[in-house]
Amino acid sequence: MVSLFHPFMATVGSNDISIQRRMRMITQGFHQNPIASSFAVPISTEKKKLAEYQVKIKHPMDLGVVRKKLKDNAYPGLQAWIDDMNLIFDNAIEYNGRMSLIGGIAAHLKR
């Protein structure tokens, strides 16, 4: 589980509207953070790069997709949103390597 969300998890009650609002606020915070800009949109669509990415990453995810799913109320619950947020950073680490700049940023943001 993403440790960034621990304080959030501690304050989550049974109010679904409040949970949705908090998920949107956190997602928006990531989306507006310049350090997270690499995760805002899908990976480059350049053919060679995309093919390589698709071989390594079976379930692509980015903040834009998360924002759309939130807008469309497509998350059945908090855990599905957390799973997608983790997937963004896990994919970046898997594809780029933990020691790369992008992988390091992903590891930092996941904490």
Side-chain angles (χ1 to χ4, degrees):
M1 184 172 292
V2 175
S3 61
L4 171 70
F5 304 120
H6 285 262
F8 169 67
M9 295 292 288
T11 62
V12 169
S14 59
N15 184 345
D16 286 341
I17 294 170
S18 176
I19 292 169
Q20 286 288 326
R21 185 177 312 129
R22 289 172 191 239
M23 290 188 301
R24 283 187 178 98
M25 287 173 45
I26 291 170
T27 303
Q28 188 64 22
F30 274 109
H31 197 77
Q32 292 175 341
N33 186 339
I35 197 170
S37 64
S38 296
F39 312 108
V41 295
I43 191 81
S44 170
T45 57
E46 180 187 328
K47 281 194 173 209
K48 182 180 177 189
K49 245 186 167 170
L50 183 60
E52 178 185 308
Y53 185 82
Q54 290 174 328
V55 167
K56 203 166 195 179
I57 303 300
K58 299 300 180 196
H59 303 286
M61 183 56 60
D62 63 80
L63 290 168
V65 171
V66 172
R67 286 176 66 186
K68 179 162 180 15
K69 287 173 79 172
L70 284 167
K71 181 182 174 200
D72 295 344
N73 291 314
Y75 285 110
L78 177 62
Q79 190 59 53
W81 172 77
I82 290 173
D83 291 345
D84 276 355
M85 294 296 286
N86 279 326
L87 186 58
I88 292 168
F89 305 123
D90 291 342
N91 284 348
I93 293 167
E94 173 71 22
Y95 183 70
N96 296 288
R98 185 173 293 277
M99 300 308 292
S100 70
L101 178 61
I102 298 297
I105 290 170
H108 172 76
L109 291 173
K110 188 175 174 177
R111 292 185 299 128

